[in-house]
Amino acid sequence: RVLLRSGLFDVVGEPTLGPQAPTGEADLSVQVLERKANRVEGAVGFVPGADGGRGYLAGRLDLGLRNLAGTGRGVWLQWEHKGPSASDVALRYDEPWVGPTPLAGRLRLHLNQRPGYTVAEVGSGVDYDVADGVSTRIEGTWTRVSPDSSGLRFAPASRSWRVRFGL
């Protein structure tokens, strides 16, 4: 269970104990299937402006690093620019071991910009493995929606907290 939770492996077999040597030592063997660690996908293009106006870059980038420096930690970045005033950015960090505890944790940040409003969301959560194949999760998220993305503050921003539990 500990090996699987490390985030380094997709499959972890049952451990087997090799023959014991006269010194009292034995070999412990575990069959594993290593997880594909990293992923990069993306495309960027230039959209010329209408009637000789200013153009802009449009595109998408997905970057996933699932095993930073062999630690099982993960970082994800997603960026998408759909037009002059429509873009998304998402960041996530996963920690397989929070300190010396049996908890795994995550932090995330998500920003959306659209004509007329922006959304900022910050969240964090922890997981705990109760038994083989059973885990529990708690997450907290703070969200702010600004209905006027121009910054002129014609309408007040809304803020909300959300807490979720799962098994």
PDB file of all heavy atoms in Angstrom, residues 114-119 144-151 153-158:
ATOM      1  N   ARG A 114     -12.882  35.927 -18.422  1.00  0.00           N
ATOM      2  CA  ARG A 114     -13.834  35.972 -19.529  1.00  0.00           C
ATOM      3  C   ARG A 114     -14.293  37.416 -19.686  1.00  0.00           C
ATOM      4  O   ARG A 114     -14.170  38.206 -18.752  1.00  0.00           O
ATOM      5  CB  ARG A 114     -15.061  35.084 -19.245  1.00  0.00           C
ATOM      6  CG  ARG A 114     -14.762  33.613 -19.103  1.00  0.00           C
ATOM      7  CD  ARG A 114     -14.339  33.012 -20.450  1.00  0.00           C
ATOM      8  NE  ARG A 114     -14.081  31.603 -20.342  1.00  0.00           N
ATOM      9  CZ  ARG A 114     -12.924  31.064 -19.966  1.00  0.00           C
ATOM     10  NH1 ARG A 114     -11.912  31.832 -19.661  1.00  0.00           N
ATOM     11  NH2 ARG A 114     -12.771  29.770 -19.906  1.00  0.00           N
ATOM     12  N   PRO A 115     -14.862  37.759 -20.835  1.00  0.00           N
ATOM     13  CA  PRO A 115     -15.400  39.114 -20.970  1.00  0.00           C
ATOM     14  C   PRO A 115     -16.485  39.337 -19.911  1.00  0.00           C
ATOM     15  O   PRO A 115     -17.442  38.588 -19.826  1.00  0.00           O
ATOM     16  CB  PRO A 115     -16.004  39.125 -22.381  1.00  0.00           C
ATOM     17  CG  PRO A 115     -15.282  38.043 -23.111  1.00  0.00           C
ATOM     18  CD  PRO A 115     -14.968  36.992 -22.080  1.00  0.00           C
ATOM     19  N   GLY A 116     -16.279  40.297 -19.039  1.00  0.00           N
ATOM     20  CA  GLY A 116     -17.283  40.629 -18.041  1.00  0.00           C
ATOM     21  C   GLY A 116     -17.061  40.045 -16.657  1.00  0.00           C
ATOM     22  O   GLY A 116     -17.693  40.483 -15.709  1.00  0.00           O
ATOM     23  N   TYR A 117     -16.176  39.066 -16.514  1.00  0.00           N
ATOM     24  CA  TYR A 117     -15.950  38.533 -15.169  1.00  0.00           C
ATOM     25  C   TYR A 117     -14.628  37.758 -15.101  1.00  0.00           C
ATOM     26  O   TYR A 117     -14.091  37.327 -16.114  1.00  0.00           O
ATOM     27  CB  TYR A 117     -17.095  37.629 -14.704  1.00  0.00           C
ATOM     28  CG  TYR A 117     -17.178  36.301 -15.419  1.00  0.00           C
ATOM     29  CD1 TYR A 117     -16.594  35.158 -14.869  1.00  0.00           C
ATOM     30  CD2 TYR A 117     -17.844  36.181 -16.631  1.00  0.00           C
ATOM     31  CE1 TYR A 117     -16.662  33.942 -15.515  1.00  0.00           C
ATOM     32  CE2 TYR A 117     -17.925  34.965 -17.279  1.00  0.00           C
ATOM     33  CZ  TYR A 117     -17.330  33.847 -16.716  1.00  0.00           C
ATOM     34  OH  TYR A 117     -17.409  32.646 -17.367  1.00  0.00           O
ATOM     35  N   THR A 118     -14.137  37.594 -13.870  1.00  0.00           N
ATOM     36  CA  THR A 118     -12.984  36.738 -13.602  1.00  0.00           C
ATOM     37  C   THR A 118     -13.312  35.864 -12.393  1.00  0.00           C
ATOM     38  O   THR A 118     -14.086  36.253 -11.517  1.00  0.00           O
ATOM     39  CB  THR A 118     -11.705  37.549 -13.298  1.00  0.00           C
ATOM     40  OG1 THR A 118     -11.949  38.403 -12.185  1.00  0.00           O
ATOM     41  CG2 THR A 118     -11.269  38.367 -14.490  1.00  0.00           C
ATOM     42  N   VAL A 119     -12.712  34.686 -12.367  1.00  0.00           N
ATOM     43  CA  VAL A 119     -12.888  33.747 -11.260  1.00  0.00           C
ATOM     44  C   VAL A 119     -11.511  33.337 -10.765  1.00  0.00           C
ATOM     45  O   VAL A 119     -10.646  32.954 -11.561  1.00  0.00           O
ATOM     46  CB  VAL A 119     -13.666  32.483 -11.693  1.00  0.00           C
ATOM     47  CG1 VAL A 119     -13.794  31.505 -10.534  1.00  0.00           C
ATOM     48  CG2 VAL A 119     -15.023  32.840 -12.251  1.00  0.00           C
ATOM     49  N   ARG A 144     -13.451  33.376  -5.552  1.00  0.00           N
ATOM     50  CA  ARG A 144     -13.838  34.780  -5.700  1.00  0.00           C
ATOM     51  C   ARG A 144     -14.251  35.001  -7.150  1.00  0.00           C
ATOM     52  O   ARG A 144     -13.513  34.673  -8.077  1.00  0.00           O
ATOM     53  CB  ARG A 144     -12.683  35.704  -5.371  1.00  0.00           C
ATOM     54  CG  ARG A 144     -13.050  37.158  -5.582  1.00  0.00           C
ATOM     55  CD  ARG A 144     -11.903  38.075  -5.351  1.00  0.00           C
ATOM     56  NE  ARG A 144     -12.311  39.426  -5.738  1.00  0.00           N
ATOM     57  CZ  ARG A 144     -11.644  40.498  -5.452  1.00  0.00           C
ATOM     58  NH1 ARG A 144     -10.532  40.413  -4.778  1.00  0.00           N
ATOM     59  NH2 ARG A 144     -12.071  41.680  -5.851  1.00  0.00           N
ATOM     60  N   VAL A 145     -15.441  35.554  -7.341  1.00  0.00           N
ATOM     61  CA  VAL A 145     -15.943  35.892  -8.676  1.00  0.00           C
ATOM     62  C   VAL A 145     -16.076  37.398  -8.737  1.00  0.00           C
ATOM     63  O   VAL A 145     -16.791  37.994  -7.936  1.00  0.00           O
ATOM     64  CB  VAL A 145     -17.299  35.217  -8.978  1.00  0.00           C
ATOM     65  CG1 VAL A 145     -17.800  35.629 -10.355  1.00  0.00           C
ATOM     66  CG2 VAL A 145     -17.187  33.709  -8.867  1.00  0.00           C
ATOM     67  N   SER A 146     -15.361  38.000  -9.684  1.00  0.00           N
ATOM     68  CA  SER A 146     -15.448  39.447  -9.901  1.00  0.00           C
ATOM     69  C   SER A 146     -16.241  39.668 -11.179  1.00  0.00           C
ATOM     70  O   SER A 146     -15.765  39.335 -12.262  1.00  0.00           O
ATOM     71  CB  SER A 146     -14.047  40.049 -10.046  1.00  0.00           C
ATOM     72  OG  SER A 146     -13.294  39.817  -8.886  1.00  0.00           O
ATOM     73  N   PRO A 147     -17.454  40.206 -11.073  1.00  0.00           N
ATOM     74  CA  PRO A 147     -18.296  40.335 -12.251  1.00  0.00           C
ATOM     75  C   PRO A 147     -17.793  41.356 -13.257  1.00  0.00           C
ATOM     76  O   PRO A 147     -18.228  41.370 -14.398  1.00  0.00           O
ATOM     77  CB  PRO A 147     -19.659  40.744 -11.708  1.00  0.00           C
ATOM     78  CG  PRO A 147     -19.471  41.039 -10.284  1.00  0.00           C
ATOM     79  CD  PRO A 147     -18.133  40.592  -9.858  1.00  0.00           C
ATOM     80  N   ASP A 148     -16.862  42.218 -12.880  1.00  0.00           N
ATOM     81  CA  ASP A 148     -16.360  43.234 -13.798  1.00  0.00           C
ATOM     82  C   ASP A 148     -14.855  43.037 -13.963  1.00  0.00           C
ATOM     83  O   ASP A 148     -14.084  43.447 -13.114  1.00  0.00           O
ATOM     84  CB  ASP A 148     -16.665  44.619 -13.235  1.00  0.00           C
ATOM     85  CG  ASP A 148     -16.111  45.737 -14.099  1.00  0.00           C
ATOM     86  OD1 ASP A 148     -15.835  45.480 -15.279  1.00  0.00           O
ATOM     87  OD2 ASP A 148     -15.938  46.835 -13.572  1.00  0.00           O
ATOM     88  N   SER A 149     -14.426  42.403 -15.034  1.00  0.00           N
ATOM     89  CA  SER A 149     -13.010  42.122 -15.229  1.00  0.00           C
ATOM     90  C   SER A 149     -12.222  43.358 -15.651  1.00  0.00           C
ATOM     91  O   SER A 149     -11.009  43.304 -15.759  1.00  0.00           O
ATOM     92  CB  SER A 149     -12.830  41.001 -16.257  1.00  0.00           C
ATOM     93  OG  SER A 149     -13.321  41.403 -17.513  1.00  0.00           O
ATOM     94  N   SER A 150     -12.890  44.490 -15.869  1.00  0.00           N
ATOM     95  CA  SER A 150     -12.178  45.708 -16.268  1.00  0.00           C
ATOM     96  C   SER A 150     -11.436  46.339 -15.098  1.00  0.00           C
ATOM     97  O   SER A 150     -10.563  47.161 -15.293  1.00  0.00           O
ATOM     98  CB  SER A 150     -13.164  46.725 -16.850  1.00  0.00           C
ATOM     99  OG  SER A 150     -14.003  47.228 -15.821  1.00  0.00           O
ATOM    100  N   GLY A 151     -11.803  45.975 -13.874  1.00  0.00           N
ATOM    101  CA  GLY A 151     -11.166  46.554 -12.704  1.00  0.00           C
ATOM    102  C   GLY A 151     -11.812  47.841 -12.242  1.00  0.00           C
ATOM    103  O   GLY A 151     -11.344  48.481 -11.300  1.00  0.00           O
ATOM    104  N   ARG A 153     -14.751  48.141 -10.900  1.00  0.00           N
ATOM    105  CA  ARG A 153     -15.554  47.824  -9.718  1.00  0.00           C
ATOM    106  C   ARG A 153     -16.977  48.359  -9.793  1.00  0.00           C
ATOM    107  O   ARG A 153     -17.482  48.980  -8.865  1.00  0.00           O
ATOM    108  CB  ARG A 153     -14.859  48.288  -8.453  1.00  0.00           C
ATOM    109  CG  ARG A 153     -13.473  47.715  -8.300  1.00  0.00           C
ATOM    110  CD  ARG A 153     -12.922  47.967  -6.928  1.00  0.00           C
ATOM    111  NE  ARG A 153     -11.522  47.622  -6.851  1.00  0.00           N
ATOM    112  CZ  ARG A 153     -11.061  46.396  -6.623  1.00  0.00           C
ATOM    113  NH1 ARG A 153     -11.892  45.419  -6.465  1.00  0.00           N
ATOM    114  NH2 ARG A 153      -9.774  46.176  -6.568  1.00  0.00           N
ATOM    115  N   PHE A 154     -17.631  48.132 -10.927  1.00  0.00           N
ATOM    116  CA  PHE A 154     -19.040  48.506 -11.059  1.00  0.00           C
ATOM    117  C   PHE A 154     -19.937  47.620 -10.199  1.00  0.00           C
ATOM    118  O   PHE A 154     -20.991  48.027  -9.758  1.00  0.00           O
ATOM    119  CB  PHE A 154     -19.497  48.409 -12.518  1.00  0.00           C
ATOM    120  CG  PHE A 154     -18.898  49.480 -13.391  1.00  0.00           C
ATOM    121  CD1 PHE A 154     -18.167  49.142 -14.502  1.00  0.00           C
ATOM    122  CD2 PHE A 154     -19.071  50.822 -13.093  1.00  0.00           C
ATOM    123  CE1 PHE A 154     -17.622  50.118 -15.313  1.00  0.00           C
ATOM    124  CE2 PHE A 154     -18.533  51.804 -13.891  1.00  0.00           C
ATOM    125  CZ  PHE A 154     -17.797  51.453 -15.012  1.00  0.00           C
ATOM    126  N   ALA A 155     -19.510  46.385  -9.978  1.00  0.00           N
ATOM    127  CA  ALA A 155     -20.287  45.446  -9.161  1.00  0.00           C
ATOM    128  C   ALA A 155     -19.344  44.803  -8.151  1.00  0.00           C
ATOM    129  O   ALA A 155     -18.179  44.561  -8.452  1.00  0.00           O
ATOM    130  CB  ALA A 155     -20.922  44.375 -10.050  1.00  0.00           C
ATOM    131  N   PRO A 156     -19.820  44.523  -6.944  1.00  0.00           N
ATOM    132  CA  PRO A 156     -18.943  43.920  -5.939  1.00  0.00           C
ATOM    133  C   PRO A 156     -18.634  42.458  -6.276  1.00  0.00           C
ATOM    134  O   PRO A 156     -19.430  41.760  -6.897  1.00  0.00           O
ATOM    135  CB  PRO A 156     -19.761  44.018  -4.642  1.00  0.00           C
ATOM    136  CG  PRO A 156     -21.183  44.073  -5.104  1.00  0.00           C
ATOM    137  CD  PRO A 156     -21.167  44.774  -6.436  1.00  0.00           C
ATOM    138  N   ALA A 157     -17.460  42.032  -5.850  1.00  0.00           N
ATOM    139  CA  ALA A 157     -17.051  40.642  -6.051  1.00  0.00           C
ATOM    140  C   ALA A 157     -17.751  39.755  -5.022  1.00  0.00           C
ATOM    141  O   ALA A 157     -18.069  40.183  -3.926  1.00  0.00           O
ATOM    142  CB  ALA A 157     -15.545  40.515  -5.905  1.00  0.00           C
ATOM    143  N   SER A 158     -18.003  38.513  -5.396  1.00  0.00           N
ATOM    144  CA  SER A 158     -18.557  37.547  -4.441  1.00  0.00           C
ATOM    145  C   SER A 158     -17.440  36.621  -3.995  1.00  0.00           C
ATOM    146  O   SER A 158     -16.518  36.326  -4.752  1.00  0.00           O
ATOM    147  CB  SER A 158     -19.690  36.752  -5.085  1.00  0.00           C
ATOM    148  OG  SER A 158     -19.174  35.860  -6.045  1.00  0.00           O
TER     149      SER A 158
END
